[in-house]
Every structure is written in C-alpha cells, then in structure tokens.
Amino acid sequence: MARLGKRVANKKRIALAAKFRVKRDELRTRSVNMKLSDEERFDARTRLNKLPKNSAPTRIRNRCKLTGRSRGFIGKFGLCRNEFRRLASFGQIPGVTKSSW
C-alpha cells in the first residue's frame, strides 16, 4: 500500500483543484486573450501565479482505489495492475475473464 501521507496529499490536491477550477479557467482565458490590453493580460498571469500550486489539475496523481498505488494504474477500472489481476482472477470484476489461446 502507498503511504497514508501520499494518499492524503492527493486528496487535498483534488479538493483544491475543484475549489479553484473556475477561477483558474477564467484567469487562464484572460491571460491568453489577445483582445485585452497587455496590462490586463499581465495582471491575469500574476493572479494565476498567486494561486496555490496544488490547485493545478496536472499535480493530481492517478491512484488505485484499493491500495493507493500510483504506478500501473488502469483508468477504466480505477485500479492498479496488481489489484486488477487479483480481482479478475477471482471473477469479481464483471465482464473480465482471463484469456488463453
């Protein structure tokens, strides 16, 4: 399992990204809008830089729902490869069967 601190930090990042999503999108569009003056675009960029770093959606890490493992993540199921294989072999994931040929 991943360390508890890593999982908690990721949850905080998800909450911050949701909280600042609208403000970040607005400032981002204003900072690249060429119809605005240079001062307005510069002001939007400085205000964007003052937002918390962890409010950026790119800082969120995909993690397994069961173990918190970050590597080998399968997005369709929200699980890491190890847990996916274990659950699939026990038949606990509907529609997934072990293939052999």
Side-chain angles (χ1 to χ4, degrees), residues 24-63:
R24 184 174 284 279
D25 290 342
E26 176 200 337
L27 290 172
R28 186 81 179 130
T29 55
R30 290 189 66 196
S31 68
V32 296
N33 188 356
M34 296 305 289
K35 294 181 181 178
L36 298 176
S37 68
D38 290 339
E39 293 82 20
E40 289 174 323
R41 287 187 287 131
F42 181 75
D43 181 54
R45 285 189 196 109
T46 56
R47 288 174 50 196
L48 189 62
N49 286 336
K50 288 182 182 177
L51 292 178
K53 284 183 182 178
N54 283 335
S55 68
T58 56
R59 293 179 67 101
I60 297 172
R61 180 80 174 173
N62 289 327
R63 292 193 172 271

Side-chain angles (χ1 to χ4, degrees), residues 3-97:
R3 286 191 355 232
L4 179 64
K6 293 285 187 183
R7 291 181 281 167
V8 169
N10 202 43
K11 286 182 183 179
K12 285 183 182 179
R13 287 185 187 121
I14 292 169
L16 270 176
K19 180 180 176 183
F20 287 101
R21 178 172 288 129
V22 175
K23 188 172 187 177
R24 184 174 284 279
D25 290 342
E26 176 200 337
L27 290 172
R28 186 81 179 130
T29 55
R30 290 189 66 196
S31 68
V32 296
N33 188 356
M34 296 305 289
K35 294 181 181 178
L36 298 176
S37 68
D38 290 339
E39 293 82 20
E40 289 174 323
R41 287 187 287 131
F42 181 75
D43 181 54
R45 285 189 196 109
T46 56
R47 288 174 50 196
L48 189 62
N49 286 336
K50 288 182 182 177
L51 292 178
K53 284 183 182 178
N54 283 335
S55 68
T58 56
R59 293 179 67 101
I60 297 172
R61 180 80 174 173
N62 289 327
R63 292 193 172 271
C64 176
K65 291 178 182 174
L66 298 179
T67 62
R69 181 179 161 87
S70 62
R71 305 245 180 147
F73 180 79
I74 302 172
K76 184 176 181 180
F77 300 98
L79 300 170
C80 65
R81 60 183 177 82
N82 303 338
E83 291 299 313
F84 176 78
R85 183 169 188 234
R86 185 178 64 81
L87 292 175
S89 65
F90 290 131
Q92 295 179 346
I93 302 176
V96 175
T97 57

